C-alpha cells in the first residue's frame, strides 16, 4: 500500500567461516514451524525444459534444494508459479553472467563484470496492472569445485527470501495476482543438470 513496502525478514545468524568470509543462515528456530513434509529424490533436469514439481505447492513454505548444475549456464527455480506459467518468481544461479553494478559515477562499461551469481527476479511475479516492476536482486555466489547449489527458500505470502550455500542471501516482496500461483518448477538452461534432493514443508504461523 502507499507509503509502506517493507520486509520483515527472518532473523539471521552471521558467522565467520574458515576462509574468513561471512556465513549467513536463518536462525534454527524457524524449523519449529515446519509441517506437512514432502520429499523429491534424485531427478534429472533436461536442458532447456521446465520440470514441474507435482504436489509441491503453497505460499507459506520452506524449501531445501540441492542441485548439481553440471554444465548448465543457468539453473532456475520458479516459485509461486501459476499452472500456465503466466506468474512466477524466478530464483536462478548464473554461471559467469554479465552483471551491472549500479555505481553512477562509473562509465557503464566499467560497471559490468562477470561472476557466478544468485539472482532473484520478480519481473514475472504478478499480472496485476498496478504492480510496479523493479530490477532483480543480484548477489555474487561462487561455487567451489564440485560444490552443489544448496538453497533454502522461505515463502511467506508476499515475501520470498533465499539463502544459498550458507553464505549468501537475497529477499524481495512479490505480489501474485492469482490464487493458483502456488506451484514450483525447475529449469536448467544450456545443458542438463541434476536435482539431488528437494525437501518441502508447509510453514505454520509464528503467532500460533
Amino acid at each position: 500500500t502507499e507509503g509502506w513496502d517493507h520486509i520483515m525478514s527472518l532473523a539471521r545468524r552471521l558467522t565467520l567461516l574458515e576462509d574468513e568470509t561471512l556465513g549467513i543462515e536463518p536462525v534454527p528456530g524457524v524449523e519449529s514451524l515446519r509441517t506437512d513434509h514432502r520429499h523429491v529424490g534424485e531427478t534429472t533436469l533436461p536442458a532447456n525444459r521446465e520440470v514441474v514439481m507435482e504436489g509441491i505447492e503453497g505460499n507459506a513454505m520452506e524449501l531445501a534444494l540441492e542441485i548439481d548444475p553440471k554444465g548448465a549456464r543457468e539453473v532456475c527455480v520458479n516459485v509461486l508459479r501459476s499452472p500456465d506459467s503466466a506468474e512466477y518468481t524466478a530464483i536462478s544461479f548464473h554461471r559467469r553472467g554479465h552483471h551491472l553494478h549500479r555505481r553512477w559515477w562509473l562509465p557503464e562499461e566499467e560497471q559490468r563484470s562477470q561472476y557466478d551469481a544468485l539472482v532473484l527476479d520478480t519481473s514475472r511475479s504478478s499480472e496485476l496492472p498496478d504492480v510496479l516492476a523493479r530490477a532483480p536482486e543480484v548477489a555474487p555466489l561462487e561455487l567451489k569445485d564440485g560444490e552443489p547449489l544448496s538453497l533454502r527458500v522461505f515463502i511467506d505470502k508476499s515475501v520470498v527470501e533465499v539463502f544459498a550455500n550458507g553464505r549468501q542471501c537475497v529477499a524481495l516482496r512479490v505480489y501474485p495476482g492469482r490464487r493458483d500461483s502456488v506451484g514450483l518448477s525447475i529449469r536448467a538452461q544450456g545443458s542438463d543438470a541434476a536435482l539431488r534432493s528437494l525437501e518441502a514443508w508447509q510453514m505454520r504461523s509464528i503467532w500460533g
Side-chain angles (χ1 to χ4, degrees):
T1 57
E2 184 176 353
W4 192 93
D5 188 19
H6 307 290
I7 292 179
M8 182 67 76
S9 65
L10 294 172
R12 302 176 185 178
R13 182 176 63 185
L14 306 180
T15 56
L16 186 63
L17 303 178
E18 290 184 359
D19 61 358
E20 298 189 350
T21 59
L22 186 66
I24 309 174
E25 295 180 297
V27 295
V30 299
E31 297 166 7
S32 66
L33 302 175
R34 292 172 174 174
T35 185
D36 189 19
H37 175 242
R38 301 290 177 91
H39 169 78
V40 177
E42 184 90 21
T43 303
T44 299
L45 303 173
N48 313 317
R49 190 196 318 171
E50 188 177 22
V51 179
V52 177
M53 299 287 109
E54 301 290 348
I56 308 294
E57 59 183 34
N59 64 3
M61 299 182 69
E62 178 187 352
L63 304 169
L65 305 98
E66 186 170 296
I67 299 172
D68 182 356
K70 297 187 176 180
R73 66 173 181 266
E74 177 187 356
V75 175
C76 188
V77 178
N78 298 315
V79 300
L80 297 175
R81 176 189 181 275
S82 61
D84 60 358
S85 200
E87 285 188 341
Y88 62 87
T89 296
I91 303 160
S92 54
F93 173 69
H94 293 250
R95 286 197 183 279
R96 297 294 172 188
H98 286 272
H99 305 289
L100 181 64
H101 301 274
R102 287 174 176 79
R103 299 186 177 98
W104 56 268
W105 61 89
L106 292 177
E108 182 172 336
E109 62 272 14
E110 294 182 28
Q111 295 186 48
R112 294 188 177 276
S113 60
Q114 284 189 319
Y115 54 86
D116 293 355
L118 178 69
V119 180
L120 180 55
D121 184 356
T122 64
S123 61
R124 297 284 299 274
S125 292
S126 181
E127 292 185 316
L128 296 175
D130 59 343
V131 173
L132 300 179
R134 63 158 293 162
E137 287 286 301
V138 180
L141 179 67
E142 296 286 345
L143 295 186
K144 302 167 186 175
D145 290 342
E147 181 183 16
L149 176 66
S150 298
L151 300 177
R152 287 185 71 182
V153 181
F154 294 88
I155 303 167
D156 185 7
K157 305 297 173 65
S158 69
V159 176
V160 176
E161 194 164 3
V162 184
F163 294 83
N165 292 71
R167 57 182 186 269
Q168 191 54 273
C169 182
V170 291
L172 281 177
R173 295 289 300 276
V174 297
Y175 304 97
R178 296 170 47 167
R179 291 183 179 272
D180 61 354
S181 293
V182 292
L184 172 70
S185 69
I186 308 175
R187 181 184 179 93
Q189 197 68 22
S191 298
D192 292 355
L195 173 67
R196 291 185 177 177
S197 66
L198 165 61
E199 311 294 337
W201 298 268
Q202 301 299 315
M203 298 292 277
R204 294 190 296 269
S205 169
I206 198 171
W207 304 111

